[in-house]
Amino acid sequence: MVCYVTYSSSFVIRFDHPGNYSYEALVGDHANEYNKLQHKSRIMIKTYFVDSFTTEPFKGNPAGVCLLENDISPEKMLNIAAEIGFSETAFVKKMDVDGVYSIRYFSPKKEIPLCGHATLAAAKIVFEKTPVVVISFITGENL
């Protein structure tokens, strides 16, 4: 797969009040310790910046990839995509069937029905982070 992972981190997204959120990057033991805490207003999102169609950093076509463990609202996905600032950010969540993932794409301004380079970026991350060898994505548009 021709992709280069430029950046990866775990972000804690904290939704304190409607329309107000903040995030902080956590690495290493700090991320593991934070995972043990249970806060309704905080969610952990593993986030990756992937350059598709290249094997070199800062080349190709960049996309954000957010691996979700729980559902979040489209408004929150849009806010996160706007904060990341790439043309598209893919939000990926494992479904109940092995190798099947839901995927939704957001630009900084709206949800996008389908995006090739963000799909490729998401597949790169899923293949690297899980033992699956075949992936099926189901989009928000059921494509």
Side-chain angles (χ1 to χ4, degrees):
M1 187 171 301
V2 184
C3 290
Y4 186 89
V5 179
T6 303
Y7 177 80
S8 68
S9 183
S10 293
F11 287 92
V12 174
I13 311 293
R14 183 174 55 216
F15 301 97
D16 296 322
H17 305 287
N20 182 20
Y21 71 96
S22 62
Y23 68 93
E24 57 186 288
L26 299 175
V27 293
D29 292 335
H30 297 291
N32 293 333
E33 297 225 357
Y34 194 89
N35 279 332
K36 296 175 187 173
L37 300 175
Q38 297 295 322
H39 295 286
K40 280 189 171 185
S41 65
R42 296 178 182 169
I43 57 173
M44 177 71 77
I45 299 177
K46 293 185 180 176
T47 304
Y48 303 87
F49 297 171
V50 181
D51 294 318
S52 297
F53 310 119
T54 187
T55 56
E56 298 178 43
F58 311 111
K59 305 273 185 180
N61 203 346
V65 177
C66 296
L67 298 182
L68 302 176
E69 293 183 12
N70 300 300
D71 290 328
I72 63 173
S73 71
E75 293 79 22
K76 289 177 183 173
M77 288 186 235
L78 182 61
N79 287 337
I80 292 166
E83 186 74 22
I84 290 172
F86 290 147
S87 62
E88 280 82 27
T89 297
F91 292 85
V92 179
K93 183 174 176 273
K94 186 177 183 335
M95 299 183 77
D96 293 333
V97 179
D98 283 342
V100 178
Y101 293 81
S102 67
I103 188 167
R104 294 179 74 175
Y105 312 94
F106 285 80
S107 76
K109 298 202 180 269
K110 65 180 183 175
E111 185 168 7
I112 306 295
L114 186 64
C115 178
H117 77 281
T119 303
L120 183 64
K124 168 77 171 177
I125 296 303
V126 171
F127 279 132
E128 281 187 357
K129 303 297 177 188
T130 70
V132 299
V133 294
V134 175
I135 299 173
S136 295
F137 287 119
I138 298 175
T139 69
E141 302 280 321
N142 286 320
L143 300 175

